[in-house]
Amino acid sequence: MGESVKHLVNVFSSPTISFLTLFAIFFFIFPPTEWFAAINRRLGIYKLWTGKGGVFIFTVMITGHCLSLTDPNYRAIVLKPDNVPIVLLLFSTVFFLWLSMKQAYANDARLAQGLKPNEYEVPEKRKVLVWPDLVYTELIVMVLCMVGLLVWSIVLQAPLEEPADPSLTPNPSKAPWYFLALQEMLVYFDPWLAGVAFPTVIIVGLMAIPYIDTDRSTSGYFSFQNRKLFISLFLFGWLVLWVYMVIVGTFFRGPGWNFFGPFERWDPHKVAALNNVNLSEIIYVIALKQTLPDNVLVREIWGILLTSFYFMGIPPLLAKFRLKGFFERMGSMKYSWFMFLSLMALSLPIKMILRWSINLKYMIATPWFNI
Amino acid sequence: MAKHEIPDSEQRHYHPESLNKIFAISSALFLFSIIWMFWKDYAREWRPYQREFRKMEADLTRSSLSEEEQRVQATAEFQEVESALESAVAKERAHAARLSAAQDERDNRQKEYQRRVQLYNFEKADLDTAIYTFEAASVHGQGNADAAREKMDALAAQAALLKVDMEAADTALAAQEEVVSDITARTRELQRAQSKLTRQGDLLRRQLKKLDPGMMKPINQIANVVRDLPILDMANPYYNVRDYQIIVNGITDDLGLERVPKVDRCIACHQGILKKEYAGAKAPFTAHPNLDLFLSDGSPHPVKEFGCTSCHGGRGRGTAFVSAAHMPDSKEQKEHWEHDHHWHKMHHVQYPMYPAKYTEAGCYRCHSAQTSIKSADTLNLGLALIEKAGCYACHAIDTFKDKPRPGPSLRHAASKLDADWAFRWINNPKAFRAHTWMPSYFGQSNNAHLQERTDQEIKAMVAYLFDKSEPYEVATAPAGDAAKGEELVRSVGCLGCHTLGDEAPDPVRTVLSLRREHGPQLVGLKNKTTADWVYSWLKDPKSYHAGTRMPDLRLSDQEAADIAAYLVEGPHGDNETFEGMPVATLDEAVLKDITLGFLARTMTQAQAGEKFGVMSVDDQLVFSGEKLIRKYGCFSCHNIPGLENATPIGTELTEEGSKPISKLDFANLHDKLEHVNFAWFEQKLKDPRSFDEGKLETKHPRDLLMMPNFHLKQREIDALVTVMLALQKKDTALTKGVPRTPKNVFIEEGQKLVRQFNCQACHVMEDEGGAIFPKVGEWYATYAKAAPAEDDGDDEWEVEEEEDEWEEGEEEGEGADPEAAAYNPPILTGEGSKVQPDWLFHFLASPETIRPWLEVRMPTFDLTAEQRNTLVKYFNYLDDQAFPFVAATQIASEGKTFDAAKEMFSDNVFFCQKCHFSGDTAPTGAKDNWAPDLAKARERLKPDWIVEWLRDPQKLLPGTKMPGFWPDGNSSVPRFLEGETDRQMKAIRDYLFTLSGDGEPMAASSN
């Protein structure tokens, strides 16, 4: 019984399945539009964001974690001193997510009844005394942080490894945990894109948020209903494209950057086939049964057209038909930025799905850069 | 000033009471975690060990103190001094009043003297200042020079006066000191005498006072506790690591990008390691098992210069059981450690400690150039096994790179063997010879099920060998007498390198026993070849195989024929079981599969099919045979026509011990084996094919592992694993290796040759060897002793006594007849100081008879001049001889001295010729005591050596039968040459140098 459950988990956690599942259910949990929200309500998913829901979430997580600890392979990877912060991150991320969603849904309910949100206070009371309230609490937090660091340093020894040897690359070679999502992107994208372009876009995108989402009507309190789209898209980027990838990179990537389930032994000799092809090969060699054209431009024209359409064709089309109201509300500048960032973010899951479904290596493959 | 008031709680965001509570709790947590941190830092593993060892030390010191006190107090001298001291003290007490008055006066004068010294010194300081002021004024014009001079002069005068005063006080004091000491002189003298006797005890007591808190003053007892309290122990703790850490000068640890000095803290816990009193104490306090060789100051490896981890491996900086990277010796020890020390492997330590059974791997770090490393028995066995099994032939190992191929030549196989025999042999060599070093390739764990295929493979290989075999003319042997042959085999020295069928079937192999496996076991020769072939081989081994190590024993035709007859027709000549083993018939379908497989490697399937179509069955056999011999690497050990320059097939092992564990494929044994390199090596040697486990169905037969099985025993595997661990990456920063002096280099080169030609099979050299001695004993018991001694019974002097002496000294051949030792090949200890380099050089080329009574023959090895020079250098450097020239000695062949020597030499005095040959003259005494030819002394022996030999034969060659005629340097015949020892010995030496071939002195003098 235990073994078959473990096997099931191993299979399920492979990125192909887990990512697609996550991708499929994500927007029902965090509905960006009213259509999703209706289904969310019908299924009662919103009940997660209540006290009982929290108990449920954490019971499932903690029980699963504790049961899994009986497995030596799981133990080896989760209790590795390097990985302790990531386990903490996992739990704290869920906790804060739950906390904020709970407050947002509570406020939504109050607003629906015409009440003020929970955070609302009369203006003269919206002050906190520096001394003693602020300074005192900061002192307490400082002391507790020290306690935490001391205990951590006593209990877990520094995870030092062998001296660096230029002639010997450790297998697997992993980036620090906070970069593991970027490293995971390297599986799907050209290093130039995954290592340079994406990080830049992420930083620029985060900086751009206040300029794109200028609606101040809900500032100062938690609310989901009033800004579903933005919250949903942001959480998609944060939870799926970042935290999920960090988890995959940390726990599921083993020797040879092969994928290993949480209960699987990290066998350095595991064999996995990587038969990836470029879009041009799919079109010319597989579909048309021809040889590849010598001219790079001719060869890659399909990829170029598709990519251009993705970034330059989709936004105007949507503005014209599907998101007409949205476009008018945002204005062309903000709309373009919004679309650019969203499409950039979406390109990762799209590329992943294409990789798994049709073994797509690159849309455009040239000797100089690949997309 | 405005008054700041804490706002009342109405205005507060938080409830102050609860904030206070939280603050109190978090502060308490903070305090607790800080205490925890200090405790964690304090509670180190080494501390309880040091406490315990301190108690052990105290107990030991206390018991040796009481022993020492009892010993001293029991001596008459001590009792005498003590009673004398008592009476002296009593006497002194009688003069107490006078003494105290004198002492008071002395003290007063002392004070006065000190007062004056101070006055004088102050005045002198002022004077120095004045001198400086004056110099500054007169030279640099700073201030008034005249006034300065005046002041300086005044001060000088004053100082001179004070000096006189001071000296007067000093004299007075000295006088009074004398008065006092006159009274106490006797007491003090006796006290000094007493403390001289109790010095050892006093030392122990002082030591004990530091060790045992019970012997301390109360204040020291408190300090003793306080200095080791947590936190306070940062100042000057008793228990610490720093005092025991060794920073090894000149040895560094490689950290990849940087080298750091080696720091070993092992002694922080292994407290008794340097003290021999703790031999056998419990871990970790036990003393090092070999303090004469390691750690102690006088040993070749003092701990201050080598540290611990230089040899043992491990993390010297670690101060805890786990972090020092200890490695368990066995599964039981591992479980034991896991229980007692929470042991786990330090994954990231590159060089964990060698498990105890592999410790000798550490020796190799510095001693890799030596052929055998003194007292590293396991490592030596491993190195000898590598050579014997021929590991280096397939697996390149730097230190073995110039060694010859370990197997016999197959160039003329057809002239020696028949194809059926070859098939059976390759199929299962152990069935033919239990002792053979030919490993098993077939019937192994990964190919036993493929017998149908492997049978055809063997057939193909045999076909190739016989097809390519070159002609060799086998001489026809005269009729031989097997009985005579047996005696020859057992006496001339064959058994130095070969074993017969009468050996134990499952011998415990040692370096010594391997010397007797230098050549093949001489069984089953009837099945294998013919008497004619054996005869031809014995007569001239080099004509069959130019590179053979088999020497020429200068056998006569009849002797060779006798031996051939014995080996072929004798009791072990015929192995019927082997002869009855089946030989597979040709299976063309399987052969086709094999042939096509090889063809398809270099061409397409279609081309292969086409090529195959034009091949006859013989073509297929020869073609596949060559490919298979290449595949299995037969040519690595054997000289095979057409494959002389093929590249060895094995992994290079030169740096195998440094190979990262990730490069060793544990395959499906991953969960069964410990994840350490030595476990992998051990498994590989135990069953080389076992890493194919679980892959037999998926792997094509041609991809299966091929390392053959040597059927090694556990001890042999351990020895080989020791060598594998020793084969580390060359440490370029090594500064403490064996120095590359000419002496060491020449000795190492010589050792290589000694090993290659197996000299130690017969001779004892560097206290090792003589593997043949027991066999000589057996021969003696069977043949020589049974025959009546030629001339026995007329012993005139104490031969018996000498023999007793000899018996005690002799170690070899325990249980064997001690008399047989006379027939052993000579022991070559001190050979370099004994024989002349020139003589040795020629002797090695063409041996001549020195000991005519020996049956064992020194073979002719066909050594090149270079090799002979290497050996001559080896012997001479080994004995620290001046090399290569020997000083000439002037020899007188007449005169008084000569006459005296002649008389001493004669049967009237020393009976030299009773044991020694002199030229053609045989000794008159019993054969068991015969000794070398003295007529050869002139050419053979070094003049200085003869004198030293005569002086004390036992010193040069412990156990020799040569009697010493000058016991303790005194002549036993004082009537000659004024009884002067040196003159007598030199005279005899000079006389020996005049002896000619007929045993009589030559007329002319020479050297």
Side-chain angles (χ1 to χ4, degrees):
Chain A
M1 163 67 185
E3 286 306 310
S4 55
V5 171
K6 280 182 191 175
H7 182 71
L8 207 67
V9 174
N10 280 342
V11 172
F12 184 79
S13 47
S14 88
T16 340
I17 300 175
S18 61
F19 180 82
L20 288 178
T21 317
L22 203 56
F23 191 59
I25 63 172
F26 181 84
F27 292 107
F28 296 102
I29 302 174
F30 303 99
T33 64
E34 199 42 51
W35 184 79
F36 285 104
I39 297 172
N40 177 304
R41 274 194 297 277
R42 200 176 313 145
L43 295 175
I45 297 173
Y46 65 92
K47 284 181 191 155
L48 283 175
W49 318 124
T50 60
K52 274 182 193 162
V55 171
F56 170 74
I57 293 174
F58 278 93
T59 314
V60 169
M61 279 181 78
I62 292 170
T63 323
H65 185 65
C66 291
L67 282 178
S68 305
L69 279 174
T70 55
D71 181 83
N73 292 314
Y74 185 86
R75 230 174 16 240
I77 185 68
V78 171
L79 296 186
K80 204 173 163 217
D82 288 303
N83 293 343
V84 170
I86 306 159
V87 177
L88 292 180
L89 170 117
L90 194 65
F91 282 92
S92 59
T93 303
V94 174
F95 173 71
F96 287 115
L97 185 71
W98 169 80
L99 189 64
S100 52
M101 288 302 282
K102 180 176 172 254
Q103 294 178 15
Y105 270 76
N107 280 344
D108 287 346
R110 287 175 68 92
L111 290 171
Q113 293 167 21
L115 297 168
K116 297 267 184 204
N118 270 325
E119 289 86 348
Y120 180 80
E121 286 179 354
V122 283
E124 56 270 25
K125 283 203 85 176
R126 292 175 68 184
K127 283 182 192 164
V128 177
L129 292 165
V130 170
W131 173 260
D133 289 342
L134 186 64
V135 174
Y136 201 12
T137 45
E138 279 177 352
L139 179 68
I140 291 170
V141 170
M142 203 168 77
V143 168
L144 287 174
C145 281
M146 284 299 292
V147 171
L149 287 174
L150 277 175
V151 171
W152 191 341
S153 63
I154 293 168
V155 173
L156 287 179
Q157 301 291 302
L160 300 179
E161 298 186 2
E162 56 269 76
D165 181 351
S167 63
L168 198 70
T169 315
N171 184 12
S173 272
K174 284 197 180 178
W177 64 267
Y178 42 84
F179 277 154
L180 278 172
L182 287 178
Q183 200 178 352
E184 187 60 26
M185 283 183 209
L186 281 168
V187 177
Y188 305 100
F189 285 99
D190 188 80
W192 187 87
L193 271 178
V196 181
F198 274 124
T200 314
V201 172
I202 291 168
I203 292 166
V204 171
L206 287 171
M207 291 193 295
I209 289 175
Y211 300 98
I212 296 169
D213 178 15
T214 49
D215 178 10
R216 300 187 59 184
S217 63
T218 58
S219 64
Y221 60 93
F222 288 99
S223 167
F224 187 79
Q225 192 55 36
N226 292 343
R227 45 203 315 149
K228 313 195 258 300
L229 179 63
F230 287 103
I231 292 178
S232 180
L233 283 180
F234 173 80
L235 283 181
F236 182 74
W238 165 239
L239 290 178
V240 180
L241 300 186
W242 196 259
V243 175
Y244 166 79
M245 299 273 244
V246 167
I247 290 165
V248 168
T250 309
F251 299 118
F252 300 154
R253 288 291 183 185
W257 211 248
N258 277 323
F259 176 83
F260 293 89
F263 306 116
E264 207 174 328
R265 183 172 69 79
W266 282 21
D267 182 356
H269 306 288
K270 179 170 177 168
V271 179
L274 292 172
N275 302 324
N276 298 327
V277 283
N278 293 324
L279 180 66
S280 51
E281 287 169 289
I282 294 176
I283 291 172
Y284 289 105
V285 181
I286 298 172
L288 302 176
K289 309 223 182 298
Q290 294 175 355
T291 52
L292 287 174
D294 290 334
N295 189 316
V296 174
L297 204 64
V298 177
R299 192 182 72 204
E300 301 301 336
I301 190 71
W302 304 105
I304 295 171
L305 285 174
L306 269 172
T307 313
S308 308
F309 173 76
Y310 179 71
F311 281 108
M312 295 188 279
I314 291 178
L317 281 175
L318 283 176
K320 193 116 192 178
F321 303 108
R322 190 86 180 74
L323 296 177
K324 205 166 178 190
F326 183 71
F327 173 70
E328 278 160 8
R329 219 168 38 247
M330 299 278 286
S332 63
M333 191 64 183
K334 279 196 275 182
Y335 175 79
S336 313
W337 270 101
F338 173 80
M339 285 314 287
F340 171 69
L341 293 171
S342 307
L343 289 174
M344 237 3 208
L346 270 175
S347 67
L348 179 61
I350 292 171
K351 188 76 187 286
M352 288 164 89
I353 291 163
L354 288 174
R355 168 70 54 87
W356 301 324
S357 54
I358 58 170
N359 286 327
L360 180 78
K361 195 170 174 193
Y362 292 124
M363 296 286 288
I364 305 171
T366 71
W368 314 284
F369 71 96
N370 306 301
I371 291 175
Chain B
M1 237 176 104
K3 202 175 171 196
H4 294 276
E5 280 200 2
I6 293 178
D8 58 328
S9 56
E10 294 283 304
Q11 292 169 268
R12 302 277 296 270
H13 186 74
Y14 298 107
H15 193 270
E17 281 301 314
S18 58
L19 270 191
N20 286 345
K21 272 182 203 153
I22 295 173
F23 182 64
I25 292 167
S26 46
S27 300
L29 283 176
F30 191 30
L31 183 67
F32 165 74
S33 56
I34 285 179
I35 292 171
W36 188 10
M37 177 182 80
F38 278 122
W39 179 252
K40 182 94 178 167
D41 182 57
Y42 183 74
R44 301 299 183 99
E45 280 174 42
W46 50 265
R47 204 181 296 272
Y49 286 137
Q50 290 193 0
R51 279 187 212 282
E52 193 180 347
F53 188 72
R54 186 181 181 178
K55 283 200 192 85
M56 290 167 72
E57 274 279 83
D59 290 346
L60 185 74
T61 316
R62 203 174 296 118
S63 70
S64 36
L65 174 61
S66 73
E67 255 170 53
E68 171 68 16
E69 276 175 343
Q70 279 168 14
R71 187 189 66 79
V72 170
Q73 281 163 11
T75 56
E77 202 183 350
F78 180 82
Q79 286 163 357
E80 215 169 87
V81 171
E82 200 170 45
S83 65
L85 186 62
E86 256 168 50
S87 66
V89 169
K91 206 186 266 174
E92 203 181 289
R93 212 168 288 138
H95 299 288
R98 196 156 66 87
L99 179 62
S100 94
Q103 278 168 337
D104 286 351
E105 179 60 20
R106 196 247 341 252
D107 293 346
N108 285 337
R109 289 187 186 186
Q110 175 89 35
K111 283 174 200 150
E112 178 59 18
Y113 170 66
Q114 276 162 356
R115 191 180 69 83
R116 291 186 188 185
V117 168
Q118 195 183 47
L119 282 175
Y120 170 68
N121 282 342
F122 285 2
E123 199 68 23
K124 228 176 111 222
D126 288 343
L127 175 59
D128 287 341
T129 317
I131 291 171
Y132 170 77
T133 318
F134 169 67
E135 279 177 4
S138 64
V139 180
H140 304 297
Q142 296 170 354
N144 187 338
D146 290 339
R149 175 191 291 275
E150 220 166 277
K151 193 175 176 201
M152 178 179 77
D153 288 347
L155 282 167
Q158 187 62 26
L161 285 176
L162 286 171
K163 193 174 182 196
V164 173
D165 277 1
M166 180 186 75
E167 285 167 353
D170 191 18
T171 317
L173 173 62
Q176 189 59 28
E177 294 261 1
E178 202 132 310
V179 173
V180 175
S181 75
D182 274 352
I183 305 170
T184 59
R186 176 74 184 144
T187 333
R188 278 194 297 162
E189 186 194 322
L190 286 167
Q191 275 166 348
R192 265 201 298 275
Q194 194 188 34
S195 70
K196 209 171 172 183
L197 290 172
T198 58
R199 185 182 295 154
Q200 192 61 33
D202 291 343
L203 271 174
L204 286 169
R205 189 170 297 110
R206 218 172 300 153
Q207 226 172 313
L208 191 59
K209 269 186 185 163
K210 282 187 200 150
L211 289 166
D212 185 1
M215 297 209 24
M216 291 176 180
K217 287 183 221 153
I219 181 79
N220 285 347
Q221 280 184 9
I222 294 168
N224 180 53
V225 173
V226 169
R227 68 192 290 199
D228 285 308
L229 290 178
I231 308 173
L232 294 180
D233 69 346
M234 67 187 169
N236 180 26
Y238 183 92
Y239 304 111
N240 66 68
V241 171
R242 192 185 46 203
D243 288 355
Y244 305 104
Q245 88 173 0
I246 297 158
I247 301 169
V248 190
N249 239 335
I251 299 184
T252 50
D253 281 329
D254 189 1
L255 296 186
L257 301 169
E258 200 179 357
R259 303 194 74 96
V260 296
K262 183 172 272 307
V263 177
D264 281 348
R265 295 171 181 156
C266 314
I267 303 178
C269 295
H270 292 280
Q271 294 253 293
I273 199 82
L274 293 161
K275 301 176 178 173
K276 58 178 183 304
E277 298 83 16
Y278 291 94
K282 65 173 182 173
F285 306 118
T286 181
H288 194 281
N290 194 346
L291 281 169
D292 291 338
L293 196 53
F294 301 102
L295 304 191
S296 53
D297 281 342
S299 72
H301 310 93
V303 70
K304 288 199 175 62
E305 276 182 54
F306 289 89
C308 311
T309 57
S310 312
C311 304
H312 283 275
R315 237 185 109 248
R317 287 167 196 253
T319 50
F321 190 87
V322 174
S323 70
H326 286 99
M327 280 303 238
D329 219 9
S330 60
K331 218 172 169 149
E332 294 78 58
Q333 190 170 44
K334 182 178 162 235
E335 280 158 15
H336 188 71
W337 284 5
E338 280 167 347
H339 180 260
D340 289 2
H341 303 284
H342 306 292
W343 181 86
H344 59 86
K345 194 182 158 230
M346 292 284 282
H347 281 286
H348 300 296
V349 172
Q350 289 165 300
Y351 299 107
M353 215 173 291
Y354 297 119
K357 63 181 168 184
Y358 305 132
T359 296
E360 286 168 16
C363 307
Y364 207 65
R365 199 172 169 198
C366 297
H367 293 274
S368 61
Q370 278 149 300
T371 305
S372 105
I373 298 141
K374 286 258 146 60
S375 63
D377 294 340
T378 310
L379 182 63
N380 284 339
L381 176 63
L383 291 167
L385 283 167
I386 286 193
E387 203 178 321
K388 191 57 242 168
C391 310
Y392 62 87
C394 287
H395 302 280
I397 305 173
D398 238 7
T399 36
F400 288 82
K401 70 167 175 268
D402 299 324
K403 300 266 178 205
R405 283 192 169 102
S409 165
L410 301 179
R411 186 158 290 277
H412 311 286
S415 68
K416 176 182 177 186
L417 314 166
D418 72 68
D420 283 354
W421 181 89
F423 177 91
R424 293 191 190 99
W425 166 252
I426 297 173
N427 192 29
N428 187 357
K430 282 269 170 195
F432 182 64
R433 276 182 192 148
H435 287 213
T436 188
W437 279 98
M438 167 90 172
S440 307
Y441 283 82
F442 301 102
Q444 297 303 304
S445 60
N446 71 342
N447 64 1
H449 66 294
L450 295 172
Q451 201 199 341
E452 236 172 59
R453 183 186 171 91
T454 54
D455 277 355
Q456 300 308 311
E457 288 188 346
I458 301 171
K459 277 220 116 48
M461 288 192 278
V462 173
Y464 177 84
L465 288 176
F466 279 72
D467 185 67
K468 299 291 175 200
S469 174
E470 292 167 9
Y472 171 72
E473 203 173 312
V474 178
T476 314
D481 177 345
K484 273 192 191 148
E486 178 170 10
E487 185 178 352
L488 279 167
V489 166
R490 291 183 186 278
S491 63
V492 292
C494 305
L495 300 187
C497 297
H498 297 276
T499 53
L500 291 173
D502 54 3
E503 302 288 332
D506 213 14
V508 177
R509 287 195 172 108
T510 61
V511 173
L512 193 68
S513 85
L514 282 173
R515 297 212 161 90
R516 292 202 52 235
E517 293 189 46
H518 192 61
Q521 193 183 17
L522 300 177
V523 297
L525 286 176
K526 185 175 187 178
N527 313 125
K528 184 177 179 180
T529 185
T530 61
D532 285 348
W533 185 88
V534 177
Y535 171 79
S536 312
W537 167 254
L538 287 168
K539 285 299 288 178
D540 189 0
K542 295 257 185 317
S543 72
Y544 181 80
H545 175 22
T548 184
R549 291 175 296 191
M550 170 86 174
D552 179 3
L553 274 133
R554 302 182 302 280
L555 297 164
S556 69
D557 291 355
Q558 189 54 50
E559 284 172 336
D562 291 346
I563 292 177
Y566 168 67
L567 292 179
V568 173
E569 302 299 335
H572 306 295
D574 192 2
N575 184 338
E576 280 164 18
T577 334
F578 181 75
E579 202 65 24
M581 289 169 86
V583 176
T585 49
L586 191 65
D587 182 335
E588 288 189 30
V590 178
L591 181 64
K592 180 181 174 186
D593 188 38
I594 295 170
T595 314
L596 276 175
F598 282 118
L599 285 170
R601 277 200 196 173
T602 50
M603 46 184 88
T604 64
Q605 295 279 350
Q607 285 170 326
E610 206 172 300
K611 179 98 191 270
F612 181 81
V614 297
M615 284 170 108
S616 69
V617 171
D618 284 343
D619 288 346
Q620 293 172 27
L621 281 168
V622 173
F623 169 81
S624 306
E626 190 213 325
K627 297 290 178 199
L628 285 160
I629 287 173
R630 276 185 193 280
K631 180 188 143 168
Y632 289 115
C634 313
F635 58 84
S636 303
C637 293
H638 301 283
N639 185 334
I640 295 173
L643 295 166
E644 291 83 354
N645 299 316
T647 331
I649 58 164
T651 316
E652 172 158 3
L653 295 183
T654 304
E655 294 177 355
E656 190 69 6
S658 312
K659 205 183 230 182
I661 186 91
S662 55
K663 302 230 163 126
L664 301 171
D665 185 0
F666 281 77
N668 291 330
L669 298 182
H670 193 282
D671 297 331
K672 292 183 195 160
L673 291 179
E674 193 71 23
H675 211 63
V676 284
N677 57 355
F678 47 82
W680 193 92
F681 297 147
E682 186 178 348
Q683 181 62 28
K684 187 75 185 168
L685 290 163
K686 244 182 207 158
D687 181 356
R689 311 283 178 87
S690 56
F691 292 98
D692 266 345
E693 197 182 296
K695 297 187 172 188
L696 298 185
E697 282 174 37
T698 48
K699 267 186 161 184
H700 189 275
R702 72 165 168 264
D703 298 328
L704 291 171
L705 293 172
M706 291 182 302
M707 172 153 158
N709 192 345
F710 287 84
H711 307 285
L712 297 161
K713 278 181 242 129
Q714 189 58 44
R715 194 181 122 71
E716 293 160 7
I717 292 174
D718 288 347
L720 283 167
V721 174
T722 304
V723 178
M724 305 277 272
L725 290 174
L727 293 171
Q728 298 269 350
K729 215 175 272 178
K730 264 268 166 301
D731 189 350
T732 45
L734 195 67
T735 52
K736 302 264 167 96
V738 179
R740 298 288 82 203
T741 57
K743 174 177 168 164
N744 288 337
V745 171
F746 287 139
I747 290 178
E748 282 162 14
E749 282 174 4
Q751 283 172 335
K752 280 188 195 134
L753 279 186
V754 166
R755 177 75 146 238
Q756 185 181 331
F757 292 104
N758 205 21
C759 306
Q760 283 160 315
C762 295
H763 298 288
V764 174
M765 302 160 86
E766 296 188 60
D767 302 325
E768 265 180 63
I772 199 177
F773 289 1
K775 293 286 143 188
V776 173
E778 281 173 31
W779 162 81
Y780 180 78
T782 323
Y783 295 95
K785 207 174 185 183
E790 282 152 41
D791 45 2
D792 216 342
D794 56 346
D795 289 338
E796 283 175 33
W797 47 270
E798 324 85 320
V799 175
E800 301 298 329
E801 191 193 302
E802 300 300 335
E803 269 176 10
D804 289 346
E805 230 171 86
W806 168 84
E807 256 177 277
E808 281 162 21
E810 185 63 44
E811 283 175 14
E812 270 84 19
E814 268 173 77
D817 195 334
E819 281 167 16
Y823 298 92
N824 284 340
I827 291 168
L828 298 187
T829 308
E831 185 74 359
S833 58
K834 178 178 183 177
V835 301
Q836 298 172 21
D838 241 19
W839 176 85
L840 184 57
F841 182 79
H842 292 296
F843 178 81
L844 289 168
S846 54
E848 57 182 1
T849 310
I850 299 159
R851 298 173 178 80
W853 70 97
L854 292 188
E855 293 294 332
V856 183
R857 294 182 197 178
M858 170 78 179
T860 311
F861 286 98
D862 277 342
L863 298 168
T864 63
E866 198 190 336
Q867 288 171 328
R868 280 182 280 150
N869 265 315
T870 304
L871 285 172
V872 173
K873 273 190 268 186
Y874 162 71
F875 281 118
N876 278 279
Y877 276 97
L878 203 57
D879 292 342
D880 288 317
Q881 293 296 296
F883 183 78
F885 303 109
V886 182
T889 316
Q890 287 302 317
I891 305 298
S893 59
E894 53 196 13
K896 189 175 153 241
T897 313
F898 179 80
D899 294 338
K902 191 172 179 183
E903 180 63 13
M904 285 189 282
F905 182 81
S906 76
D907 286 355
N908 299 330
V909 185
F910 287 154
F911 297 101
C912 298
Q913 282 168 301
K914 184 169 167 32
C915 299
H916 281 284
F917 283 82
S918 40
D920 303 333
T921 321
T924 53
K927 198 173 175 183
D928 295 347
N929 295 327
W930 282 0
D933 186 355
L934 293 176
K936 293 213 159 66
R938 187 176 63 249
E939 289 164 6
R940 180 171 164 246
L941 300 175
K942 286 185 174 168
D944 290 345
W945 179 84
I946 299 181
V947 175
E948 290 312 309
W949 172 249
L950 291 172
R951 194 189 306 282
D952 187 358
Q954 291 300 331
K955 190 176 146 205
L956 294 191
L957 192 59
T960 179
K961 290 186 184 183
M962 170 82 178
F965 295 111
W966 288 269
D968 304 323
N970 300 317
S971 176
S972 56
V973 281
R975 64 179 187 278
F976 296 104
L977 302 172
E978 286 84 41
E980 286 176 38
T981 312
D982 272 29
R983 270 180 71 198
Q984 289 181 352
M985 293 188 295
K986 280 188 180 143
I988 291 183
R989 188 260 323 266
D990 290 357
Y991 179 77
L992 294 180
F993 276 18
T994 66
L995 292 179
S996 67
D998 54 7
E1000 291 301 313
M1002 289 185 291
S1005 70
S1006 77
N1007 57 352

